[in-house]
Amino acid sequence: MRVLVLCVPLDDAELASDRLWAAGACAVEERAADGSTAELRTILADSDDVSLARLGRLAPGWTVSFLDVDDAPAQTWREFSEPILVNDRLVVRPAWLARVDSPDVLEVEIEPGGSFGLGDHPTTRVSADATWRLTTAGSRVLDVGCGSGVLSIIAALRGASRVVAIDIAEAAREATLDNAARNGVTDRIEVSTSAIEHLSGSFDLVVANILAPALVAMSAHLRRLTAPDGRLVLSGVLAGQHAHVIAALAPMRVVTTTELEGWASVELCHT
Ligand SMILES: C[S@@+](CC[C@H](N)C(=O)[O-])C[C@H]1O[C@@H](n2cnc3c(N)ncnc32)[C@H](O)[C@@H]1O
């Protein structure tokens, strides 16, 4: 496992962390290197060149290095994972566990690989519930920041006729393809690492479970790609701290907000 280590002056730690999340990090570990420097560790890509390109130009005083880390200890969480009951009709099951096989329950099998989206994080759970609720037969769905592909797969299994899944991380593209095949919906999901600004068309449902700075940066495209009578569901925003994200999406208006364990999911429409 190739870990990127970003050292920055202590005052820049929050800014640097936002930069890593916006570059596609699934998790960021912050350590105080000494009294004046913070060390941020994450994984962006297998290749150092791709990681550096994704990170972009470094601010003065920022330095990057890479570490090879044995990922075996990092996999012990798998032993403790359980199927996630998103609602009484939808279960997300880690691929290494036996089928739940409950009548009338839609079961989605996920192997996250190196991507985010096993289904246990509160932002995934609220997004998954919204995707399940808002997808109807024939819906066109866009999943921005697809991670493991969990939301795209729920949409496809609910009958969406077209699902477009994008993510800046190559690991997410691979995981989504793998999970689409596991769930038998490869033919309905188009997966790529295309940037949102290169997408065209109109979607009945746009879901984006990404942190606030990235949502604000792409707000014009999220608005443009949501059909006139469609819905946009944002997650990845902290409860009570997302007014600026809503403001960036104006004149779209909030239909409903759901909060779970300190995170918020906001559903918006055009009129
Ligand atoms: C919190 S994860 C969400 C994964 C999955 N959709 C879920 O709900 O569990 C956010 C994903 O967004 C991706 N991402 C971050 N910035 C992005 C951007 N500007 N464009 C596309 N994907 C982005 C990350 O690589 C990551 O896979």
Side-chain angles (χ1 to χ4, degrees), residues 21-26 115-119 121 123-125 127-128 143-151 166-169 172 194-196 209-211 214 218 236:
W21 285 107
C26 292
S115 68
F116 185 104
L118 179 58
H121 195 272
T123 60
T124 306
R125 273 153 49 208
S127 308
D143 179 5
V144 184
C146 58
S148 66
V150 57
L151 305 179
I166 59 167
D167 201 294
I168 52 173
S194 300
I196 192 168
N209 177 10
I210 306 187
L211 290 175
M218 62 175 70

Side-chain angles (χ1 to χ4, degrees), residues 4 14 16 25 27 38-39 54 73 80 93 126 176 239 250 259 268 270:
L4 179 148
E14 202 176 327
E39 186 183 286
R54 206 164 275 164
F80 303 102
R93 174 175 55 83
V126 284
T176 298
E259 292 187 10
L268 298 107
H270 280 292

Side-chain angles (χ1 to χ4, degrees):
M1 204 163 60
R2 204 66 181 145
V3 174
L4 179 148
V5 183
L6 176 61
C7 286
V8 302
L10 212 48
D11 288 347
D12 286 356
E14 202 176 327
L15 186 66
S17 177
D18 281 351
R19 176 80 83 81
L20 291 172
W21 285 107
C26 292
V28 177
E29 182 191 346
E30 183 176 333
R31 302 174 175 201
D34 57 43
S36 60
T37 311
E39 186 183 286
L40 304 168
R41 294 182 171 210
T42 192
I43 297 169
L44 291 183
D46 293 337
S47 139
D48 296 355
D49 288 346
V50 174
S51 295
L52 288 172
R54 206 164 275 164
L55 190 58
R57 197 135 68 88
L58 300 182
W62 293 18
T63 57
V64 173
S65 57
F66 292 92
L67 277 180
D68 274 320
V69 173
D70 175 10
D71 70 349
Q75 299 295 326
T76 49
W77 59 271
R78 286 176 176 259
E79 288 171 35
F80 303 102
S81 54
E82 290 181 351
I84 296 107
L85 197 63
V86 173
N87 59 40
D88 57 4
R89 305 278 309 281
L90 175 63
V91 168
V92 177
R93 174 175 55 83
W96 52 95
L97 298 183
R99 287 191 66 80
V100 175
D101 269 340
S102 180
D104 303 327
V105 171
L106 183 65
E107 195 168 327
V108 179
E109 175 180 319
I110 293 295
E111 167 52 74
S115 68
F116 185 104
L118 179 58
D120 53 343
H121 195 272
T123 60
T124 306
R125 273 153 49 208
V126 284
S127 308
D129 185 49
T131 305
W132 185 88
R133 216 169 13 88
L134 296 170
T135 306
T136 53
S139 293
R140 299 156 299 171
V141 177
L142 170 61
D143 179 5
V144 184
C146 58
S148 66
V150 57
L151 305 179
S152 292
I153 291 161
I154 292 168
L157 290 172
R158 286 286 280 170
S161 56
R162 180 178 184 222
V163 182
V164 174
I166 59 167
D167 201 294
I168 52 173
E170 173 58 20
R173 191 188 71 84
E174 288 166 13
T176 298
L177 282 174
D178 172 46
N179 286 316
R182 286 171 186 276
N183 290 278
V185 291
T186 306
D187 56 333
R188 263 166 294 152
I189 303 183
E190 300 157 36
V191 194
S192 73
T193 52
S194 300
I196 192 168
E197 44 271 42
H198 297 142
L199 298 186
S200 56
S202 192
F203 295 87
D204 305 300
L205 174 63
V206 177
V207 282
N209 177 10
I210 306 187
L211 290 175
L215 291 173
V216 170
M218 62 175 70
S219 55
H221 298 289
L222 293 169
R223 194 169 46 229
R224 170 178 68 81
L225 292 160
T226 306
D229 55 354
R231 287 285 189 274
L232 167 62
V233 175
L234 306 178
S235 200
V237 289
L238 292 170
Q241 294 180 34
H242 52 270
H244 64 298
V245 181
I246 310 301
L249 285 153
M252 292 187 88
R253 72 173 176 85
V254 175
V255 178
T256 180
T257 303
T258 310
E259 292 187 10
L260 187 65
E261 296 172 23
W263 295 90
S265 165
V266 187
E267 183 183 325
L268 298 107
C269 68
H270 280 292
T271 51

